[in-house]
Amino acid sequence: MATQLKNLSDFSHTIVPDGKNYKFAIAVAEWNAAITGSLYDGALKTLLANGVLEENIISVPVPGSFELTGAAEILLNKHSELDGVICLGCVIQGETRHFDFICQAVASGLTDVSIKHSKPVIFGVLTTNDQQQAVDRSGGKHGNKGDEAAITAIKMAHLKATV
């Protein structure tokens, strides 16, 4: 596996624009709260460390990853000044096909909301085989997907503002 020994949250090879002029919302699933809480902490710290002002960040909890699509739609409809929405969740493979349905619905739904509003809606959802993989990607040995989602949001907001 290519990521087995790699910290995926290393951005030393890229330039991250200053986020001081951007406004973001973070929607975070309450399901798998220990994992999603770590993702949220990473995203929030990364936004702040890259210049996004605390008052320009709206945070909302949602019951689970499936509800992230609805939350992104509501946030963009209610807060037209937002430059993007970061959606954070964690779906861990189980014994049924539920995992497949949820992951596909969330990925497609967030893409649709992004296209509809012509604003970045970031897929910061872990889709792992087990709990340990989720731990490893939410602040563990593979970095923090929340950090990655925040950097992606800043870079995409900058792209929208400059092209």
Side-chain angles (χ1 to χ4, degrees), residues 11-120:
F11 297 99
S12 61
H13 65 285
T14 186
I15 296 171
V16 179
D18 186 352
K20 70 180 175 190
N21 295 319
Y22 300 123
K23 296 180 181 183
F24 296 105
I26 304 172
V28 60
E30 295 173 320
W31 193 259
N32 290 318
I35 300 298
T36 61
S38 293
L39 296 174
Y40 174 79
D41 290 344
L44 182 62
K45 288 176 187 171
T46 298
L47 289 176
L48 295 171
N50 284 280
V52 179
L53 303 175
E54 190 169 1
E55 60 267 22
N56 289 340
I57 302 170
I58 299 169
S59 299
V60 296
V62 299
S65 292
F66 187 79
E67 290 74 29
L68 291 169
T69 298
E73 176 72 14
I74 290 165
L75 286 161
L76 289 171
N77 280 331
K78 186 170 181 176
H79 301 280
S80 60
E81 74 282 2
L82 287 173
D83 294 295
V85 179
I86 300 166
C87 296
L88 303 173
C90 177
V91 185
I92 299 173
Q93 178 72 55
E95 297 176 5
T96 68
R97 295 186 57 211
H98 178 76
F99 174 88
D100 299 320
F101 295 126
I102 296 298
C103 295
Q104 182 61 46
V106 175
S108 294
L110 296 181
T111 299
D112 291 346
V113 173
S114 180
I115 291 168
K116 175 184 174 185
H117 290 275
S118 199
K119 291 189 177 182

Side-chain angles (χ1 to χ4, degrees), residues 132-159:
Q132 187 59 53
Q133 286 180 347
V135 169
D136 291 344
R137 289 161 176 78
S138 61
K141 68 181 178 182
H142 293 309
N144 190 320
K145 183 73 170 178
D147 295 347
E148 297 169 39
I151 295 294
T152 300
I154 294 169
K155 291 182 89 167
M156 291 303 293
H158 182 72
L159 175 68

